Amino acid sequence: MTFTVGHYLAERLTQIGLKHHFAVAGDYNLILLDQLLEHGGTKQIYSCNELNCSFSAEGYARENGAAAAIITFSVGAISAMNGIGGAYAENLPVILISGAPNTNDYGSGHVLHHTIGTTNYNYQMEMAKQITVAAESIVSAETAPAQIDHVIRTALREKKPAYLEIACNVANLPCARPGPVSSLLSHPIPDQESLNAALKESLSFLEKRNKVVILVGSKLRAAEALEETVALADKLGCAVTVMAASKSFFPETHPGFRGVYWGEVSSPGAQKLVEEADGVITLAPVWNDYSSVGWRNLIQGNNVLEVNPDRVTVNDRTFEGFRLKEFVKALTERAPSKPASLTENYKPVTLPKADPAAPLTNDEMTRQINDLVDEKTTLFAETGDSWFNAARMNLPKGAKVESEMQWGHIGWSVPSIVGNALAAPERRHVVMVGDGSFQLTAQEVAQMVRYELPVIIFLVNNYGYVIEIKIHDGPYNYIQNWDYAGLVQNFNGGVGGEGGGHGLGLKATTGAELAEAIEKAKKNTRGPTLIECKLDREDCTEALVEWGKRVAATNSRKPKVN
Ligand SMILES: C/C(NCc1cnc(C)nc1N)=C(/S)[C@H](O)COP(=O)(O)OP(=O)(O)O
């Protein structure tokens, strides 16, 4: 078999640990898809559309560390760019690979199908450059190895998406074979002088502090320092809180864990603990308008040691030239013991069991889902009140929560969990998704049927966009109701249809019905189970109401008059 450009790409994707890649066919990428199939190092998984394809790749990268999505030029790529924007926002190295026009068409004056009808096809590359850390157009086999390596190496180092477009008549051209993958995985050697200076300044900061608290942020996983953070917490002996977007990034069974810090909607006691501390170590935080509750609760300033993936800021000095992981390890070696913030034992909030016969409530639904979560569960929390339901859950060690609180594209969770489930078949996959979000990407349940993924979907039917209603209500927040449970039968290929799928659709209007549905879901191991939880529209978390008021006030600030 001649080794081709497409085989080179396939070899590199396999070398960096991918076992799958995601694709939607189009005539610009068919020859490339053939090369990937011929190589066989990664299984080709198909999506219903390119938006879902990019989200499935993003979900795969959350578990596997990296992912690849292959789509067709323009009509496919521009859809996929939404999920790539999300991968950028969420610090996930997804390689977006687009088929591209035949090299003979460049500069020919030809108008090509699927394009915007001009003779310049560069617009896609220009768009991709805005949302990736590296972008290359492959029009020759000779330059392909260097371009492919550059894109993959940069994505892995920066933990951000990258972009390749490959001309459709180049994908099967003969190409040199790649060398060791180590050339793609190396990191710069840390600048020891800067690391020592940052350490010295940080130890001086800590020596002068009494009540020290760690606040774990959502870029900590991309910084690959979750274990190092536990070691730091053990050495300091202090309280540890997490931001909502980093829920599960620190073990909640750890003796120092003290809940979620989210300003005025924090776990009980967490706001006081963080805001009254005289020294807060923030690890890879993302401070945006949502995480700071409309800029009210920003933990920065003289009492903060801020440790970011590429920079440490403390005592009004800032240091760079080393990785967060290296700094945290060095700090742990010399950090003093600071147990003063651990005054009382942590009392996690547990929800009371409701009357099984009573109409289902948001609290009872959350309580039962929390009971379902075990050490091998990955729980996806879709944008909406599901964020707040996940934040208030108590997690066993090993449980994972996935959310998309920076990008916040509703519907992300359904395709994303497809990718995540393929990356970790040994784990249980559960998603909480509202009716509004589900309507954007519902068709990806069909891929759960196709690939026999036993995902448990809690479809939270509160009849509209409740988070938006709480922020700012209007007719635009109300949607057509679907028969969500009934939809699954269609994805099975119809009753007795040729689809032959094992999806299951159930409804729950009481606690008892929900408990029964969950037991059925646990037994349905060859396909998804969608449990439509019917809630009253007004039944949402108090945290959402309080947070929504504050965010609404921030959104309605008057323009500054100069
Ligand atoms: C419409 C929108 N956000 C605006 C929006 C619109 N379009 C995209 C792609 N992403 C977005 N976040 C949001 S959060 C809805 O409340 C989601 O509704 P639902 O899934 O039903 O959840 P809740 O009822 O819990 O809010």
Side-chain angles (χ1 to χ4, degrees), residues 229-360:
T229 299
V230 174
L232 178 62
D234 290 340
K235 184 70 181 298
L236 285 165
C238 66
V240 181
T241 53
V242 298
M243 297 176 76
S246 41
K247 177 84 175 173
S248 82
F249 286 11
F250 188 86
E252 300 194 358
T253 50
H254 187 280
F257 181 70
R258 288 298 182 271
V260 172
Y261 173 74
W262 199 352
E264 287 122 306
V265 292
S266 301
S267 308
Q271 180 176 17
K272 186 172 186 299
L273 191 64
V274 171
E275 295 179 4
E276 291 183 2
D278 62 353
V280 184
I281 302 172
T282 59
L283 296 177
V286 172
W287 293 113
N288 63 31
D289 48 342
Y290 277 14
S291 64
S292 65
V293 194
W295 307 116
R296 287 170 170 77
N297 309 105
L298 212 51
I299 304 302
Q300 288 177 330
N302 294 334
N303 279 347
V304 175
L305 161 53
E306 182 167 288
V307 186
N308 276 310
D310 56 355
R311 180 173 291 275
V312 169
T313 301
V314 59
N315 291 344
D316 212 16
R317 291 186 67 195
T318 186
F319 307 86
E320 62 167 3
F322 45 82
R323 297 168 68 201
L324 181 150
K325 183 191 193 99
E326 292 151 349
F327 172 77
V328 171
K329 278 172 83 170
L331 183 63
T332 301
E333 284 164 17
R334 299 187 41 200
S337 171
K338 290 284 176 182
S341 56
L342 275 188
T343 48
E344 70 287 335
N345 290 331
Y346 179 56
K347 292 179 287 300
V349 174
T350 53
L351 292 166
K353 187 172 175 2
D355 169 6
L360 185 61

Side-chain angles (χ1 to χ4, degrees), residues 26-42:
D27 60 355
Y28 286 108
N29 71 13
L30 299 176
I31 304 302
L32 174 60
L33 292 178
D34 287 345
Q35 305 309 303
L36 293 165
L37 288 169
E38 246 176 42
H39 178 272
T42 55

Side-chain angles (χ1 to χ4, degrees), residues 77-395:
I78 294 177
S79 262
M81 283 186 195
N82 202 327
I84 296 305
Y88 196 104
E90 305 293 332
N91 306 292
L92 295 161
V94 174
I95 314 294
L96 180 66
I97 302 149
S98 177
N102 183 300
T103 52
N104 296 298
D105 287 319
Y106 290 92
S108 67
H110 291 167
V111 173
L112 298 179
H113 73 286
H114 286 342
T115 70
I116 57 175
T118 60
T119 56
N120 178 339
Y121 325 126
N122 281 349
Y123 59 90
Q124 180 165 311
M125 170 60 78
E126 292 312 307
M127 291 167 74
K129 282 178 181 173
Q130 308 307 317
I131 55 173
T132 59
V133 286
E136 293 287 342
S137 172
I138 296 181
V139 292
S140 86
E142 292 68 31
T143 58
Q147 291 176 290
I148 292 170
D149 286 0
H150 166 64
V151 156
I152 294 175
R153 177 186 301 112
T154 310
L156 293 178
R157 190 187 59 237
E158 303 296 327
K159 296 292 189 290
K160 295 285 186 185
Y163 172 74
L164 273 175
E165 60 186 39
I166 302 179
C168 55
N169 61 335
V170 169
N172 61 350
L173 291 185
C175 180
R177 291 171 182 273
V181 69
S182 51
S183 68
L184 303 186
L185 305 176
S186 55
H187 282 277
I189 296 168
D191 168 32
Q192 203 55 49
E193 183 181 357
S194 299
L195 182 54
N196 293 341
L199 193 53
K200 182 167 182 274
E201 195 66 49
S202 302
L203 289 169
S204 158
F205 170 87
L206 289 170
E207 285 307 330
K208 299 183 182 70
R209 265 60 189 191
N210 177 38
K211 282 188 78 175
V212 172
V213 175
I214 292 174
L215 177 57
V216 170
S218 54
K219 290 190 286 188
L220 192 64
R221 176 171 62 180
E224 298 172 315
L226 299 184
E227 288 174 17
E228 289 76 5
T229 299
V230 174
L232 178 62
D234 290 340
K235 184 70 181 298
L236 285 165
C238 66
V240 181
T241 53
V242 298
M243 297 176 76
S246 41
K247 177 84 175 173
S248 82
F249 286 11
F250 188 86
E252 300 194 358
T253 50
H254 187 280
F257 181 70
R258 288 298 182 271
V260 172
Y261 173 74
W262 199 352
E264 287 122 306
V265 292
S266 301
S267 308
Q271 180 176 17
K272 186 172 186 299
L273 191 64
V274 171
E275 295 179 4
E276 291 183 2
D278 62 353
V280 184
I281 302 172
T282 59
L283 296 177
V286 172
W287 293 113
N288 63 31
D289 48 342
Y290 277 14
S291 64
S292 65
V293 194
W295 307 116
R296 287 170 170 77
N297 309 105
L298 212 51
I299 304 302
Q300 288 177 330
N302 294 334
N303 279 347
V304 175
L305 161 53
E306 182 167 288
V307 186
N308 276 310
D310 56 355
R311 180 173 291 275
V312 169
T313 301
V314 59
N315 291 344
D316 212 16
R317 291 186 67 195
T318 186
F319 307 86
E320 62 167 3
F322 45 82
R323 297 168 68 201
L324 181 150
K325 183 191 193 99
E326 292 151 349
F327 172 77
V328 171
K329 278 172 83 170
L331 183 63
T332 301
E333 284 164 17
R334 299 187 41 200
S337 171
K338 290 284 176 182
S341 56
L342 275 188
T343 48
E344 70 287 335
N345 290 331
Y346 179 56
K347 292 179 287 300
V349 174
T350 53
L351 292 166
K353 187 172 175 2
D355 169 6
L360 185 61
T361 63
N362 187 46
D363 281 355
E364 178 59 12
M365 177 192 73
T366 302
R367 186 191 69 80
Q368 292 198 32
I369 297 172
N370 198 159
D371 282 353
L372 174 66
V373 173
D374 64 15
E375 71 285 352
K376 298 195 74 172
T377 299
T378 299
L379 172 69
F380 273 63
E382 177 62 82
T383 298
D385 202 24
S386 300
W387 279 351
F388 297 89
N389 284 330
R392 61 179 176 155
M393 287 188 184
N394 302 303
L395 302 179

Side-chain angles (χ1 to χ4, degrees), residues 82 290 382-387 407-411 433-438 440 460-469 476-477 479 540 544:
N82 202 327
Y290 277 14
E382 177 62 82
T383 298
D385 202 24
S386 300
W387 279 351
W407 193 240
H409 182 303
I410 58 172
V433 53
D435 51 332
S437 299
F438 185 73
L440 273 78
V460 185
N461 191 356
N462 53 18
Y463 302 93
Y465 298 157
V466 170
I467 209 171
E468 298 297 335
I469 292 169
Y476 29 74
N477 290 331
I479 60 178
C540 65
L544 169 58

